[in-house]
Amino acid sequence: MSRASLFFDRWDVAMLCVATLHILMSPYTKVEESFNLQAMHDILYHRFDLSSYDHLEFSGVVPRSFWGAVAVASFSSPWVYLAHLSQLPKITALYVVRIALAAASVASLARFRLALTEVLGSLTSRLFALLYCLQFHPLFYAGRPLPNVFAVTLTTWAMAKFLLLLNRSNNGCDPRPPAPVEVLAPLAVAMIVLRCDVILLIAPVALFLLAARKITLLEGVVIGVTVGALALTATVLLDSMFWRRYLWPEGEVLLFNTVENRSSEYGTSPFHWYFTSALPRSLLVAYPLALAGGILERRVRGLLIVAIAFIVLYSQLPHKELRFIFPAVPLLNACAAAALGRIFQNAAKSAIWRWLGRGCCAALVASLLATGVLATVSSANYPGGHALGRLHSLHLQGAAAAAAGHLPREAIPEVLEVHIDNLPAMTGVSRFGELPFPWKYSKQEGLAQEDLQLHNFTYLLSEAREVPGYTCISAVNGFQRLQIERGAPFIKVATTPQVFVQAVNHLRGLNHYYEQEFGYAC
């Protein structure tokens, strides 16, 4: 069976396995992912009870669209229900939704690989997948519920059509080239619904198609207006219902980031940052290979030109983050794979090509080692999520001891109220980790430490080691630094206590049990 007759082949499965491994190593999420993660939880568990949705209490800086969360939650719903019937813990649903998103991300990469196979052959397509498996950031983020990740599933699909459109002719020998609408429509939907900054990718793509005479200006305008109007209607209707006011989420994001330029409040970087910091870390060996691919293989030059133009345009915005340029990653990896393919195919022709091939193999091994280190570091970056799980585990063991008669039953409160500080809230705590009644959770801000006991909180997840009226019963470590060791494995991830699990002092019997059984590791 040919590659073209398959949608997922073993290389696509390998990418999905690597993305899943990242999820298993780092299941929790950070604050920038919280909106979509909480939205998926609320869609799955609260359904039409909008008053219970998290975003109405914690709306974030700007509103975001629910379309991505609705799509992933809908796909995940049968599997979450099956996990519930199997009496698996609620946290299982977190893994389900993240793996579902990773599958969607890999599906778009699989479609891109189909286009690569047709244009450049199966070797380049396989090398493209290999580069992804050996890089840390692309597949680490594939299952993270960022608006950027949702948008990239559409932009990658569109760029697969773009590659075919540039390299197919109408001579009757090649398959029919994709229609321009197949390129521009997914980009327009991604821009209007998910990430307004996709317009920076649409601009070079549209100009390239115009220059190559693949589309006329009138056709482009008609496609843009028609698809844009339909997408705008869809997002306004759905998101106005969820947000309980009329709005176009990405319109407000565009106003915030560009017109008001308020994104600069969250830090700025120099113009060259994407080229000198973000891309080298994300692409690793593929970064120089991508530039070489544009020289060695004319059929990917269009991808390279579009990727560079997109990044240059985005570099005008002072606030910069790696995730902003995710749409360029598959384009640059395709160029790098083309260069690798050319080097390996020519290895038998001369000593120069052979040594280049050996150097590339060594660089790929180095990429694998770097990815392993980065994955280990990232797994230590979510102390809040681990602290919530630790709290539940400790309390459930105490409750079991009380049920067995080792503690008086009155030692276990009837209602368990937990206050979550900013640091744990931003490093892994989500509604997927919460338990039902008698547990209650609060992320109320602005409370002084000395006032926490007045609010009758039973437990705290705190940044402070000592809190008046509470006893620290456990500490959860987070990443501190990389430490060089003299012996194997030579690099060690050093951690330090960052989130402290505190129990109110009047739980003397329960706290005494914690101290006897587990010791206070604070």
Side-chain angles (χ1 to χ4, degrees), residues 203-245:
V205 166
L207 288 174
F208 207 97
L209 293 178
L210 285 169
R213 298 185 179 180
K214 300 292 184 179
I215 191 174
T216 66
L217 180 60
L218 180 60
E219 286 177 316
V221 171
V222 170
I223 292 170
V225 171
T226 304
V227 176
L230 292 173
L232 182 61
T233 301
T235 186
V236 169
L237 288 176
L238 182 77
D239 292 312
S240 296
M241 177 188 72
F242 278 107
W243 285 98
R244 294 183 166 183
R245 63 184 177 91

Side-chain angles (χ1 to χ4, degrees), residues 284-325:
L284 300 174
V285 65
Y287 188 31
L289 285 172
L291 302 177
I295 297 171
L296 295 173
E297 180 53 73
R298 62 173 179 80
R299 290 170 290 184
V300 297
R301 286 173 192 161
L303 298 181
L304 183 61
I305 292 170
V306 166
I308 292 176
F310 168 68
I311 297 169
V312 167
L313 288 172
Y314 223 132
S315 296
Q316 309 298 322
L317 194 67
H319 178 62
K320 296 176 176 64
E321 294 185 39
L322 170 61
R323 59 192 174 97
F324 294 167
I325 58 168

Side-chain angles (χ1 to χ4, degrees), residues 33-47 53 66 68-74 76 80 93-94 97-98 100-101 143-146 150 432:
E33 303 155 58
S34 63
F35 167 73
N36 279 306
L37 191 73
Q38 310 286 36
M40 289 188 284
H41 169 277
D42 295 342
I43 293 165
L44 287 167
Y45 289 96
H46 296 308
R47 303 189 181 222
Y53 276 44
F66 272 81
V70 167
V72 174
S74 299
S76 305
V80 172
L94 172 62
V97 297
R98 289 200 54 203
L101 177 56
R144 296 198 161 270
L146 292 160
F150 291 126
F432 281 104

Side-chain angles (χ1 to χ4, degrees), residues 179-194:
V181 67
E182 295 179 68
V183 178
L184 296 178
L187 295 176
V189 172
M191 179 191 74
I192 297 293
V193 178
L194 299 170

Side-chain angles (χ1 to χ4, degrees), residues 310-387:
F310 168 68
I311 297 169
V312 167
L313 288 172
Y314 223 132
S315 296
Q316 309 298 322
L317 194 67
H319 178 62
K320 296 176 176 64
E321 294 185 39
L322 170 61
R323 59 192 174 97
F324 294 167
I325 58 168
F326 279 172
V329 172
L331 312 185
L332 296 172
N333 270 340
C335 297
L340 272 178
R342 182 66 65 88
I343 290 170
F344 290 151
Q345 285 172 337
N346 292 339
K349 295 182 179 180
S350 71
I352 294 177
W353 286 108
R354 190 158 51 250
W355 280 105
L356 280 173
R358 291 171 181 171
C360 288
C361 289
L364 291 174
V365 172
S367 292
L368 175 61
L369 295 175
T371 294
V373 172
L374 291 171
T376 305
V377 167
S378 293
S379 67
N381 266 333
Y382 302 90
H386 291 290

